[in-house]
Amino acid sequence: PLQAPQSYFDRASLEGNITDPDRLAFAAALLALDDGVGRVTEAVQSKELWNNTLIVFSSDNGGGAVEIERGWPTQSFNFPLRGGKHTIWEGGTRTIAAVSGGFVIPGSAK
């Protein structure tokens, strides 16, 4: 289950005007993650290690299409890709990733 301190739920409902409880929990968890990554980034920069740091974020697989077919609640949406988690179609294997750090040249993303 998605979890976050109550303060993040409060922030998510105020900043995003989110009323659905599942989406609110997801937004709260993302806000907590974002703050945590920000603290790690600040700590690395304060130790002057940023230029020797590479932070990589990646997903393990697509959203839960099988869960949708079975009527289980999910907040994922893989369109226009076919399939999702637990499948071999693009919706289950194609994911996104992001990198940051001193090794990344600004403007070099494609």
Side-chain angles (χ1 to χ4, degrees):
L2 294 171
Q3 299 175 346
Q6 183 61 46
S7 62
Y8 289 101
F9 280 85
D10 297 342
R11 237 174 89 188
S13 62
L14 288 174
E15 293 178 13
N17 195 23
I18 301 168
T19 56
D20 179 85
D22 292 331
R23 290 203 178 270
L24 183 61
F26 187 73
L30 284 179
L31 286 170
L33 173 67
D34 187 53
D35 283 355
V37 170
R39 286 191 300 273
V40 169
T41 300
E42 288 171 3
V44 169
Q45 290 172 338
S46 73
K47 300 288 184 185
E48 298 183 6
L49 297 172
W50 185 249
N51 289 335
N52 296 319
T53 300
L54 181 65
I55 300 173
V56 179
F57 293 94
S58 79
S59 177
D60 61 344
N61 51 24
V66 172
E67 287 82 351
I68 293 171
E69 292 170 6
R70 294 181 179 165
W72 299 341
T74 180
Q75 297 298 315
S76 61
F77 187 63
N78 297 323
F79 183 80
L81 304 177
R82 179 178 166 191
K85 195 179 303 283
H86 312 297
T87 72
I88 59 170
W89 293 308
E90 283 186 323
T93 58
R94 185 187 281 185
T95 64
I96 60 169
V99 297
S100 184
F103 286 116
V104 180
I105 300 169
S108 63
K110 293 185 181 188

